[in-house]
Amino acid sequence: MPTPPVSALVAPLGEGPAPLYARVKQMITQQIESGSWPPHQRVPSESELVNQLGFSRMTINRALRELTAEGLLVRMQGVGTFVAEPKTRSALFEVNNIADEIAARGHQHSCQVIILAEEAAGSERALALDMREGQRVFHSLIVHLENGVPVQIEDRYVNAQAAPDYLRQDFTRQTPYAYLTQVAPLTEGEHVVEAILAEADECRLLQIDRAEPCLLIRRRTWSGRQPVTCARLIHPGSRHRLEGRFNK
């Protein structure tokens, strides 16, 4: 999709007492909220905005950085800056199939399987899965995409005794959640939620800048009394949020 023309940029700015970076933010926000710049629309680069608006690079950079932190823009390293998809939502205390969540929004789920291998459990994995150090575990690293945009890294370790055929599955056709629900039905789960900055390789997989905050969910699940999985689920902060509702 082509970059918006200069006329679409200059008109909303007008004159006023607001700081220049705030006026640039307001202009971009108006373009997004009006639908003139739909999700995935590429917005002008810093250099293009400097040339079109006559403001300093520092002013433009601050506006783009703040809009990215607020979730309105997504900055992909080496690609450009784009209008963000409205944030996806997940229930805080539920364990759901990400493919079903994406389909429920009328969007297309796809994934990239980065790792699917057997490993010997180190001390951390052995403790999490209640097994002896050195016992077999299965490791999968999968990037889930919504309409072609990465929205989650799923870094999962699986108790080989609970799902012995795990490595034989085609997880581009069926998610690990869907498969494990069949062979080791979930009876209990544990969530720990943190805000993090992802590692460089994780940022590359998610196509985000190193400075973008991410949401990390550490999850363990059981089937009966048997621990089944421990997983790290990493979501770009600009593309995801958790929500919950509670009763007393």
Side-chain angles (χ1 to χ4, degrees):
M1 188 174 294
T3 302
V6 175
S7 58
L9 301 172
V10 178
L13 282 173
E15 299 295 335
L20 294 181
Y21 80 88
R23 293 166 60 193
V24 175
K25 287 180 61 179
Q26 181 184 28
M27 173 274 296
I28 294 175
T29 300
Q30 287 174 347
Q31 295 296 316
I32 294 171
E33 291 180 348
S34 70
S36 297
W37 293 6
H40 311 302
Q41 167 75 60
R42 180 185 178 276
V43 305
S45 67
E46 286 186 17
S47 297
E48 290 170 332
L49 287 171
V50 168
N51 291 334
Q52 292 170 353
L53 302 178
F55 296 155
S56 70
R57 182 175 291 273
M58 184 179 300
T59 294
I60 299 300
N61 179 269
R62 178 170 178 178
L64 294 178
R65 280 191 294 106
E66 291 194 5
L67 287 170
T68 300
E70 292 166 13
L72 289 180
L73 298 179
V74 175
R75 307 186 78 176
M76 297 185 182
Q77 291 176 310
V79 180
T81 302
F82 300 84
V83 177
E85 185 79 27
K87 285 190 180 182
T88 60
R89 304 178 183 182
S90 293
L92 181 56
F93 296 115
E94 293 182 6
V95 179
N96 296 317
N97 185 359
I98 187 170
D100 292 341
E101 290 184 352
I102 290 172
R105 293 190 285 271
H107 294 170
Q108 180 72 37
H109 169 265
S110 60
C111 72
Q112 300 169 352
V113 179
I114 309 300
I115 296 173
L116 186 59
E118 178 180 320
E119 299 179 8
S123 57
E124 182 180 352
R125 309 297 172 218
L127 180 63
L129 293 172
D130 193 21
M131 59 173 53
R132 294 190 309 275
E133 193 169 342
Q135 280 190 276
R136 288 194 314 148
V137 294
F138 299 141
H139 180 203
S140 58
L141 180 65
I142 297 173
V143 181
H144 294 280
L145 300 94
E146 182 168 351
N147 290 345
V149 177
V151 293
Q152 183 193 85
I153 291 175
E154 175 189 326
D155 188 7
R156 183 185 296 271
Y157 289 85
V158 178
N159 184 335
Q161 295 180 353
D165 293 327
Y166 188 78
L167 298 184
R168 297 188 180 95
Q169 307 311 305
D170 181 357
F171 290 125
T172 65
R173 295 179 175 273
Q174 177 180 231
T175 64
Y177 170 91
Y179 172 70
L180 291 169
T181 298
Q182 297 170 11
V183 300
L186 171 69
T187 59
E188 185 178 353
E190 172 187 272
H191 281 165
V192 178
V193 182
E194 302 176 55
I196 66 165
L197 291 176
E199 298 296 330
D201 57 338
E202 295 166 340
C203 291
R204 178 179 54 81
L205 291 174
L206 291 171
Q207 298 177 16
I208 60 174
D209 188 84
R210 285 295 302 273
E212 177 167 345
C214 291
L215 189 67
L216 169 64
I217 302 172
R218 299 183 188 272
R219 177 181 292 164
R220 289 198 297 165
T221 62
W222 288 259
S223 184
R225 300 180 63 182
Q226 183 178 43
V228 177
T229 74
C230 61
R232 296 171 69 250
L233 309 175
I234 304 173
H235 302 263
S238 62
R239 304 174 198 165
H240 193 79
R241 76 181 185 190
L242 292 173
E243 57 184 35
R245 184 170 180 175
F246 310 93
N247 292 316
K248 285 185 147 185

PDB file of all heavy atoms in Angstrom, residues 47-82:
ATOM      1  N   SER A  47      12.350  10.440   7.753  1.00  0.00           N
ATOM      2  CA  SER A  47      12.911  11.364   6.765  1.00  0.00           C
ATOM      3  C   SER A  47      11.817  11.996   5.914  1.00  0.00           C
ATOM      4  O   SER A  47      11.848  13.204   5.632  1.00  0.00           O
ATOM      5  CB  SER A  47      13.909  10.631   5.869  1.00  0.00           C
ATOM      6  OG  SER A  47      15.000  10.162   6.622  1.00  0.00           O
ATOM      7  N   GLU A  48      10.823  11.188   5.517  1.00  0.00           N
ATOM      8  CA  GLU A  48       9.723  11.711   4.709  1.00  0.00           C
ATOM      9  C   GLU A  48       8.908  12.736   5.487  1.00  0.00           C
ATOM     10  O   GLU A  48       8.518  13.785   4.949  1.00  0.00           O
ATOM     11  CB  GLU A  48       8.828  10.557   4.237  1.00  0.00           C
ATOM     12  CG  GLU A  48       9.493   9.662   3.200  1.00  0.00           C
ATOM     13  CD  GLU A  48       8.712   8.395   2.921  1.00  0.00           C
ATOM     14  OE1 GLU A  48       7.992   7.918   3.832  1.00  0.00           O
ATOM     15  OE2 GLU A  48       8.828   7.868   1.804  1.00  0.00           O
ATOM     16  N   LEU A  49       8.667  12.454   6.764  1.00  0.00           N
ATOM     17  CA  LEU A  49       7.900  13.403   7.583  1.00  0.00           C
ATOM     18  C   LEU A  49       8.677  14.695   7.815  1.00  0.00           C
ATOM     19  O   LEU A  49       8.095  15.782   7.830  1.00  0.00           O
ATOM     20  CB  LEU A  49       7.511  12.754   8.918  1.00  0.00           C
ATOM     21  CG  LEU A  49       6.402  11.704   8.838  1.00  0.00           C
ATOM     22  CD1 LEU A  49       6.266  10.973  10.165  1.00  0.00           C
ATOM     23  CD2 LEU A  49       5.077  12.349   8.452  1.00  0.00           C
ATOM     24  N   VAL A  50       9.988  14.569   8.012  1.00  0.00           N
ATOM     25  CA  VAL A  50      10.816  15.773   8.165  1.00  0.00           C
ATOM     26  C   VAL A  50      10.699  16.645   6.912  1.00  0.00           C
ATOM     27  O   VAL A  50      10.497  17.867   6.992  1.00  0.00           O
ATOM     28  CB  VAL A  50      12.286  15.385   8.428  1.00  0.00           C
ATOM     29  CG1 VAL A  50      13.193  16.610   8.286  1.00  0.00           C
ATOM     30  CG2 VAL A  50      12.437  14.781   9.822  1.00  0.00           C
ATOM     31  N   ASN A  51      10.789  16.020   5.750  1.00  0.00           N
ATOM     32  CA  ASN A  51      10.718  16.773   4.497  1.00  0.00           C
ATOM     33  C   ASN A  51       9.327  17.354   4.250  1.00  0.00           C
ATOM     34  O   ASN A  51       9.190  18.482   3.762  1.00  0.00           O
ATOM     35  CB  ASN A  51      11.108  15.871   3.319  1.00  0.00           C
ATOM     36  CG  ASN A  51      12.581  15.501   3.343  1.00  0.00           C
ATOM     37  OD1 ASN A  51      13.396  16.247   3.892  1.00  0.00           O
ATOM     38  ND2 ASN A  51      12.915  14.350   2.787  1.00  0.00           N
ATOM     39  N   GLN A  52       8.300  16.605   4.586  1.00  0.00           N
ATOM     40  CA  GLN A  52       6.932  17.037   4.306  1.00  0.00           C
ATOM     41  C   GLN A  52       6.440  18.112   5.271  1.00  0.00           C
ATOM     42  O   GLN A  52       5.724  19.028   4.875  1.00  0.00           O
ATOM     43  CB  GLN A  52       5.989  15.829   4.362  1.00  0.00           C
ATOM     44  CG  GLN A  52       6.215  14.828   3.228  1.00  0.00           C
ATOM     45  CD  GLN A  52       5.443  13.544   3.441  1.00  0.00           C
ATOM     46  OE1 GLN A  52       4.830  13.330   4.477  1.00  0.00           O
ATOM     47  NE2 GLN A  52       5.467  12.673   2.442  1.00  0.00           N
ATOM     48  N   LEU A  53       6.843  17.993   6.550  1.00  0.00           N
ATOM     49  CA  LEU A  53       6.296  18.892   7.568  1.00  0.00           C
ATOM     50  C   LEU A  53       7.260  20.002   7.968  1.00  0.00           C
ATOM     51  O   LEU A  53       6.845  20.978   8.585  1.00  0.00           O
ATOM     52  CB  LEU A  53       5.889  18.085   8.808  1.00  0.00           C
ATOM     53  CG  LEU A  53       4.857  16.975   8.553  1.00  0.00           C
ATOM     54  CD1 LEU A  53       4.566  16.222   9.850  1.00  0.00           C
ATOM     55  CD2 LEU A  53       3.573  17.545   7.971  1.00  0.00           C
ATOM     56  N   GLY A  54       8.542  19.825   7.691  1.00  0.00           N
ATOM     57  CA  GLY A  54       9.509  20.860   8.033  1.00  0.00           C
ATOM     58  C   GLY A  54       9.895  20.876   9.488  1.00  0.00           C
ATOM     59  O   GLY A  54      10.490  21.845   9.962  1.00  0.00           O
ATOM     60  N   PHE A  55       9.552  19.806  10.238  1.00  0.00           N
ATOM     61  CA  PHE A  55       9.920  19.728  11.648  1.00  0.00           C
ATOM     62  C   PHE A  55      11.243  18.986  11.789  1.00  0.00           C
ATOM     63  O   PHE A  55      11.696  18.316  10.857  1.00  0.00           O
ATOM     64  CB  PHE A  55       8.836  19.003  12.460  1.00  0.00           C
ATOM     65  CG  PHE A  55       7.514  19.721  12.475  1.00  0.00           C
ATOM     66  CD1 PHE A  55       6.344  19.010  12.682  1.00  0.00           C
ATOM     67  CD2 PHE A  55       7.428  21.095  12.278  1.00  0.00           C
ATOM     68  CE1 PHE A  55       5.117  19.661  12.710  1.00  0.00           C
ATOM     69  CE2 PHE A  55       6.210  21.753  12.303  1.00  0.00           C
ATOM     70  CZ  PHE A  55       5.058  21.033  12.506  1.00  0.00           C
ATOM     71  N   SER A  56      11.852  19.069  12.973  1.00  0.00           N
ATOM     72  CA  SER A  56      13.131  18.410  13.203  1.00  0.00           C
ATOM     73  C   SER A  56      12.938  16.898  13.302  1.00  0.00           C
ATOM     74  O   SER A  56      11.853  16.406  13.633  1.00  0.00           O
ATOM     75  CB  SER A  56      13.771  18.923  14.490  1.00  0.00           C
ATOM     76  OG  SER A  56      13.048  18.465  15.620  1.00  0.00           O
ATOM     77  N   ARG A  57      14.008  16.172  13.048  1.00  0.00           N
ATOM     78  CA  ARG A  57      13.954  14.714  13.176  1.00  0.00           C
ATOM     79  C   ARG A  57      13.644  14.316  14.620  1.00  0.00           C
ATOM     80  O   ARG A  57      12.958  13.314  14.866  1.00  0.00           O
ATOM     81  CB  ARG A  57      15.275  14.097  12.728  1.00  0.00           C
ATOM     82  CG  ARG A  57      15.288  12.570  12.785  1.00  0.00           C
ATOM     83  CD  ARG A  57      16.572  12.007  12.210  1.00  0.00           C
ATOM     84  NE  ARG A  57      16.641  12.211  10.772  1.00  0.00           N
ATOM     85  CZ  ARG A  57      16.120  11.370   9.879  1.00  0.00           C
ATOM     86  NH1 ARG A  57      15.475  10.292  10.279  1.00  0.00           N
ATOM     87  NH2 ARG A  57      16.238  11.597   8.586  1.00  0.00           N
ATOM     88  N   MET A  58      14.144  15.072  15.602  1.00  0.00           N
ATOM     89  CA  MET A  58      13.878  14.769  17.000  1.00  0.00           C
ATOM     90  C   MET A  58      12.379  14.839  17.290  1.00  0.00           C
ATOM     91  O   MET A  58      11.821  13.986  17.996  1.00  0.00           O
ATOM     92  CB  MET A  58      14.636  15.743  17.917  1.00  0.00           C
ATOM     93  CG  MET A  58      14.483  15.446  19.403  1.00  0.00           C
ATOM     94  SD  MET A  58      15.419  16.607  20.433  1.00  0.00           S
ATOM     95  CE  MET A  58      17.078  16.291  19.835  1.00  0.00           C
ATOM     96  N   THR A  59      11.710  15.858  16.729  1.00  0.00           N
ATOM     97  CA  THR A  59      10.259  16.010  16.927  1.00  0.00           C
ATOM     98  C   THR A  59       9.504  14.838  16.320  1.00  0.00           C
ATOM     99  O   THR A  59       8.618  14.246  16.952  1.00  0.00           O
ATOM    100  CB  THR A  59       9.781  17.322  16.282  1.00  0.00           C
ATOM    101  OG1 THR A  59      10.369  18.419  16.983  1.00  0.00           O
ATOM    102  CG2 THR A  59       8.269  17.444  16.334  1.00  0.00           C
ATOM    103  N   ILE A  60       9.852  14.490  15.101  1.00  0.00           N
ATOM    104  CA  ILE A  60       9.173  13.392  14.413  1.00  0.00           C
ATOM    105  C   ILE A  60       9.428  12.075  15.131  1.00  0.00           C
ATOM    106  O   ILE A  60       8.518  11.264  15.336  1.00  0.00           O
ATOM    107  CB  ILE A  60       9.635  13.306  12.942  1.00  0.00           C
ATOM    108  CG1 ILE A  60       9.304  14.602  12.196  1.00  0.00           C
ATOM    109  CG2 ILE A  60       9.007  12.107  12.263  1.00  0.00           C
ATOM    110  CD1 ILE A  60       7.838  14.959  12.161  1.00  0.00           C
ATOM    111  N   ASN A  61      10.677  11.856  15.532  1.00  0.00           N
ATOM    112  CA  ASN A  61      11.035  10.611  16.205  1.00  0.00           C
ATOM    113  C   ASN A  61      10.250  10.445  17.504  1.00  0.00           C
ATOM    114  O   ASN A  61       9.755   9.353  17.814  1.00  0.00           O
ATOM    115  CB  ASN A  61      12.540  10.581  16.485  1.00  0.00           C
ATOM    116  CG  ASN A  61      12.962   9.318  17.212  1.00  0.00           C
ATOM    117  OD1 ASN A  61      13.002   9.271  18.440  1.00  0.00           O
ATOM    118  ND2 ASN A  61      13.301   8.290  16.448  1.00  0.00           N
ATOM    119  N   ARG A  62      10.114  11.533  18.271  1.00  0.00           N
ATOM    120  CA  ARG A  62       9.373  11.436  19.532  1.00  0.00           C
ATOM    121  C   ARG A  62       7.908  11.103  19.274  1.00  0.00           C
ATOM    122  O   ARG A  62       7.326  10.265  19.977  1.00  0.00           O
ATOM    123  CB  ARG A  62       9.484  12.745  20.317  1.00  0.00           C
ATOM    124  CG  ARG A  62       8.684  12.710  21.614  1.00  0.00           C
ATOM    125  CD  ARG A  62       8.957  13.892  22.515  1.00  0.00           C
ATOM    126  NE  ARG A  62       8.136  13.833  23.708  1.00  0.00           N
ATOM    127  CZ  ARG A  62       8.191  14.714  24.709  1.00  0.00           C
ATOM    128  NH1 ARG A  62       9.072  15.714  24.651  1.00  0.00           N
ATOM    129  NH2 ARG A  62       7.403  14.585  25.759  1.00  0.00           N
ATOM    130  N   ALA A  63       7.311  11.722  18.279  1.00  0.00           N
ATOM    131  CA  ALA A  63       5.906  11.445  17.966  1.00  0.00           C
ATOM    132  C   ALA A  63       5.717   9.981  17.593  1.00  0.00           C
ATOM    133  O   ALA A  63       4.791   9.311  18.080  1.00  0.00           O
ATOM    134  CB  ALA A  63       5.437  12.352  16.835  1.00  0.00           C
ATOM    135  N   LEU A  64       6.595   9.461  16.738  1.00  0.00           N
ATOM    136  CA  LEU A  64       6.463   8.066  16.299  1.00  0.00           C
ATOM    137  C   LEU A  64       6.731   7.100  17.449  1.00  0.00           C
ATOM    138  O   LEU A  64       6.047   6.073  17.586  1.00  0.00           O
ATOM    139  CB  LEU A  64       7.411   7.794  15.135  1.00  0.00           C
ATOM    140  CG  LEU A  64       7.110   8.551  13.836  1.00  0.00           C
ATOM    141  CD1 LEU A  64       8.161   8.216  12.784  1.00  0.00           C
ATOM    142  CD2 LEU A  64       5.718   8.233  13.311  1.00  0.00           C
ATOM    143  N   ARG A  65       7.715   7.422  18.288  1.00  0.00           N
ATOM    144  CA  ARG A  65       8.023   6.546  19.426  1.00  0.00           C
ATOM    145  C   ARG A  65       6.846   6.476  20.385  1.00  0.00           C
ATOM    146  O   ARG A  65       6.473   5.397  20.871  1.00  0.00           O
ATOM    147  CB  ARG A  65       9.267   7.042  20.159  1.00  0.00           C
ATOM    148  CG  ARG A  65      10.578   6.656  19.503  1.00  0.00           C
ATOM    149  CD  ARG A  65      11.770   6.939  20.406  1.00  0.00           C
ATOM    150  NE  ARG A  65      11.984   8.356  20.650  1.00  0.00           N
ATOM    151  CZ  ARG A  65      11.712   8.988  21.771  1.00  0.00           C
ATOM    152  NH1 ARG A  65      11.206   8.319  22.798  1.00  0.00           N
ATOM    153  NH2 ARG A  65      11.939  10.287  21.913  1.00  0.00           N
ATOM    154  N   GLU A  66       6.228   7.620  20.682  1.00  0.00           N
ATOM    155  CA  GLU A  66       5.125   7.631  21.635  1.00  0.00           C
ATOM    156  C   GLU A  66       3.892   6.937  21.070  1.00  0.00           C
ATOM    157  O   GLU A  66       3.185   6.218  21.786  1.00  0.00           O
ATOM    158  CB  GLU A  66       4.796   9.074  22.049  1.00  0.00           C
ATOM    159  CG  GLU A  66       5.896   9.707  22.889  1.00  0.00           C
ATOM    160  CD  GLU A  66       5.455  10.989  23.583  1.00  0.00           C
ATOM    161  OE1 GLU A  66       4.258  11.342  23.481  1.00  0.00           O
ATOM    162  OE2 GLU A  66       6.304  11.623  24.229  1.00  0.00           O
ATOM    163  N   LEU A  67       3.628   7.109  19.780  1.00  0.00           N
ATOM    164  CA  LEU A  67       2.488   6.431  19.164  1.00  0.00           C
ATOM    165  C   LEU A  67       2.713   4.923  19.104  1.00  0.00           C
ATOM    166  O   LEU A  67       1.750   4.141  19.218  1.00  0.00           O
ATOM    167  CB  LEU A  67       2.227   6.993  17.763  1.00  0.00           C
ATOM    168  CG  LEU A  67       1.611   8.399  17.738  1.00  0.00           C
ATOM    169  CD1 LEU A  67       1.619   8.957  16.324  1.00  0.00           C
ATOM    170  CD2 LEU A  67       0.196   8.387  18.299  1.00  0.00           C
ATOM    171  N   THR A  68       3.953   4.506  18.952  1.00  0.00           N
ATOM    172  CA  THR A  68       4.261   3.077  18.981  1.00  0.00           C
ATOM    173  C   THR A  68       4.048   2.525  20.378  1.00  0.00           C
ATOM    174  O   THR A  68       3.446   1.454  20.559  1.00  0.00           O
ATOM    175  CB  THR A  68       5.713   2.828  18.531  1.00  0.00           C
ATOM    176  OG1 THR A  68       5.870   3.311  17.187  1.00  0.00           O
ATOM    177  CG2 THR A  68       6.064   1.351  18.592  1.00  0.00           C
ATOM    178  N   ALA A  69       4.523   3.241  21.397  1.00  0.00           N
ATOM    179  CA  ALA A  69       4.334   2.803  22.781  1.00  0.00           C
ATOM    180  C   ALA A  69       2.853   2.750  23.155  1.00  0.00           C
ATOM    181  O   ALA A  69       2.440   1.914  23.969  1.00  0.00           O
ATOM    182  CB  ALA A  69       5.084   3.737  23.724  1.00  0.00           C
ATOM    183  N   GLU A  70       2.048   3.625  22.556  1.00  0.00           N
ATOM    184  CA  GLU A  70       0.612   3.651  22.845  1.00  0.00           C
ATOM    185  C   GLU A  70      -0.166   2.612  22.040  1.00  0.00           C
ATOM    186  O   GLU A  70      -1.373   2.450  22.231  1.00  0.00           O
ATOM    187  CB  GLU A  70       0.067   5.055  22.556  1.00  0.00           C
ATOM    188  CG  GLU A  70       0.596   6.112  23.518  1.00  0.00           C
ATOM    189  CD  GLU A  70       0.339   7.538  23.037  1.00  0.00           C
ATOM    190  OE1 GLU A  70      -0.465   7.709  22.094  1.00  0.00           O
ATOM    191  OE2 GLU A  70       0.950   8.463  23.602  1.00  0.00           O
ATOM    192  N   GLY A  71       0.526   1.922  21.127  1.00  0.00           N
ATOM    193  CA  GLY A  71      -0.119   0.834  20.399  1.00  0.00           C
ATOM    194  C   GLY A  71      -0.805   1.227  19.109  1.00  0.00           C
ATOM    195  O   GLY A  71      -1.460   0.382  18.486  1.00  0.00           O
ATOM    196  N   LEU A  72      -0.650   2.478  18.661  1.00  0.00           N
ATOM    197  CA  LEU A  72      -1.286   2.893  17.411  1.00  0.00           C
ATOM    198  C   LEU A  72      -0.427   2.569  16.197  1.00  0.00           C
ATOM    199  O   LEU A  72      -0.959   2.412  15.089  1.00  0.00           O
ATOM    200  CB  LEU A  72      -1.597   4.395  17.443  1.00  0.00           C
ATOM    201  CG  LEU A  72      -2.734   4.828  18.371  1.00  0.00           C
ATOM    202  CD1 LEU A  72      -2.916   6.337  18.296  1.00  0.00           C
ATOM    203  CD2 LEU A  72      -4.025   4.126  18.010  1.00  0.00           C
ATOM    204  N   LEU A  73       0.882   2.498  16.390  1.00  0.00           N
ATOM    205  CA  LEU A  73       1.794   2.195  15.292  1.00  0.00           C
ATOM    206  C   LEU A  73       2.638   0.974  15.637  1.00  0.00           C
ATOM    207  O   LEU A  73       2.847   0.659  16.811  1.00  0.00           O
ATOM    208  CB  LEU A  73       2.724   3.385  15.003  1.00  0.00           C
ATOM    209  CG  LEU A  73       2.075   4.694  14.562  1.00  0.00           C
ATOM    210  CD1 LEU A  73       3.159   5.758  14.355  1.00  0.00           C
ATOM    211  CD2 LEU A  73       1.250   4.521  13.299  1.00  0.00           C
ATOM    212  N   VAL A  74       3.127   0.312  14.600  1.00  0.00           N
ATOM    213  CA  VAL A  74       4.065  -0.800  14.746  1.00  0.00           C
ATOM    214  C   VAL A  74       5.285  -0.475  13.905  1.00  0.00           C
ATOM    215  O   VAL A  74       5.152  -0.178  12.712  1.00  0.00           O
ATOM    216  CB  VAL A  74       3.448  -2.127  14.273  1.00  0.00           C
ATOM    217  CG1 VAL A  74       4.488  -3.241  14.334  1.00  0.00           C
ATOM    218  CG2 VAL A  74       2.235  -2.486  15.104  1.00  0.00           C
ATOM    219  N   ARG A  75       6.453  -0.512  14.513  1.00  0.00           N
ATOM    220  CA  ARG A  75       7.691  -0.220  13.792  1.00  0.00           C
ATOM    221  C   ARG A  75       8.445  -1.524  13.586  1.00  0.00           C
ATOM    222  O   ARG A  75       8.851  -2.182  14.533  1.00  0.00           O
ATOM    223  CB  ARG A  75       8.534   0.793  14.565  1.00  0.00           C
ATOM    224  CG  ARG A  75       7.756   2.056  14.932  1.00  0.00           C
ATOM    225  CD  ARG A  75       8.623   3.121  15.561  1.00  0.00           C
ATOM    226  NE  ARG A  75       9.390   3.831  14.550  1.00  0.00           N
ATOM    227  CZ  ARG A  75      10.179   4.871  14.822  1.00  0.00           C
ATOM    228  NH1 ARG A  75      10.315   5.286  16.071  1.00  0.00           N
ATOM    229  NH2 ARG A  75      10.841   5.498  13.870  1.00  0.00           N
ATOM    230  N   MET A  76       8.620  -1.935  12.326  1.00  0.00           N
ATOM    231  CA  MET A  76       9.302  -3.171  11.981  1.00  0.00           C
ATOM    232  C   MET A  76      10.691  -2.844  11.476  1.00  0.00           C
ATOM    233  O   MET A  76      10.841  -2.096  10.503  1.00  0.00           O
ATOM    234  CB  MET A  76       8.510  -3.945  10.922  1.00  0.00           C
ATOM    235  CG  MET A  76       7.139  -4.386  11.390  1.00  0.00           C
ATOM    236  SD  MET A  76       6.299  -5.414  10.161  1.00  0.00           S
ATOM    237  CE  MET A  76       4.725  -5.701  10.984  1.00  0.00           C
ATOM    238  N   GLN A  77      11.684  -3.412  12.126  1.00  0.00           N
ATOM    239  CA  GLN A  77      13.075  -3.119  11.786  1.00  0.00           C
ATOM    240  C   GLN A  77      13.350  -3.451  10.324  1.00  0.00           C
ATOM    241  O   GLN A  77      13.060  -4.543   9.853  1.00  0.00           O
ATOM    242  CB  GLN A  77      14.002  -3.925  12.686  1.00  0.00           C
ATOM    243  CG  GLN A  77      13.986  -3.474  14.139  1.00  0.00           C
ATOM    244  CD  GLN A  77      14.850  -4.354  15.019  1.00  0.00           C
ATOM    245  OE1 GLN A  77      14.731  -5.567  14.991  1.00  0.00           O
ATOM    246  NE2 GLN A  77      15.724  -3.742  15.800  1.00  0.00           N
ATOM    247  N   GLY A  78      13.917  -2.481   9.621  1.00  0.00           N
ATOM    248  CA  GLY A  78      14.300  -2.685   8.243  1.00  0.00           C
ATOM    249  C   GLY A  78      13.152  -2.700   7.255  1.00  0.00           C
ATOM    250  O   GLY A  78      13.365  -2.888   6.060  1.00  0.00           O
ATOM    251  N   VAL A  79      11.935  -2.509   7.740  1.00  0.00           N
ATOM    252  CA  VAL A  79      10.754  -2.554   6.867  1.00  0.00           C
ATOM    253  C   VAL A  79      10.041  -1.212   6.832  1.00  0.00           C
ATOM    254  O   VAL A  79       9.773  -0.657   5.772  1.00  0.00           O
ATOM    255  CB  VAL A  79       9.776  -3.665   7.319  1.00  0.00           C
ATOM    256  CG1 VAL A  79       8.549  -3.700   6.397  1.00  0.00           C
ATOM    257  CG2 VAL A  79      10.473  -5.008   7.330  1.00  0.00           C
ATOM    258  N   GLY A  80       9.732  -0.656   8.017  1.00  0.00           N
ATOM    259  CA  GLY A  80       9.047   0.626   8.071  1.00  0.00           C
ATOM    260  C   GLY A  80       8.100   0.700   9.253  1.00  0.00           C
ATOM    261  O   GLY A  80       8.102  -0.163  10.134  1.00  0.00           O
ATOM    262  N   THR A  81       7.284   1.739   9.275  1.00  0.00           N
ATOM    263  CA  THR A  81       6.307   1.966  10.335  1.00  0.00           C
ATOM    264  C   THR A  81       4.914   1.818   9.744  1.00  0.00           C
ATOM    265  O   THR A  81       4.624   2.357   8.678  1.00  0.00           O
ATOM    266  CB  THR A  81       6.490   3.368  10.953  1.00  0.00           C
ATOM    267  OG1 THR A  81       7.830   3.483  11.457  1.00  0.00           O
ATOM    268  CG2 THR A  81       5.498   3.599  12.084  1.00  0.00           C
ATOM    269  N   PHE A  82       4.042   1.101  10.467  1.00  0.00           N
ATOM    270  CA  PHE A  82       2.722   0.772   9.952  1.00  0.00           C
ATOM    271  C   PHE A  82       1.660   1.050  11.011  1.00  0.00           C
ATOM    272  O   PHE A  82       1.936   1.051  12.214  1.00  0.00           O
ATOM    273  CB  PHE A  82       2.655  -0.704   9.552  1.00  0.00           C
ATOM    274  CG  PHE A  82       3.645  -1.083   8.480  1.00  0.00           C
ATOM    275  CD1 PHE A  82       4.957  -1.399   8.807  1.00  0.00           C
ATOM    276  CD2 PHE A  82       3.269  -1.098   7.145  1.00  0.00           C
ATOM    277  CE1 PHE A  82       5.881  -1.728   7.821  1.00  0.00           C
ATOM    278  CE2 PHE A  82       4.188  -1.428   6.156  1.00  0.00           C
ATOM    279  CZ  PHE A  82       5.492  -1.741   6.499  1.00  0.00           C
TER     280      PHE A  82
END
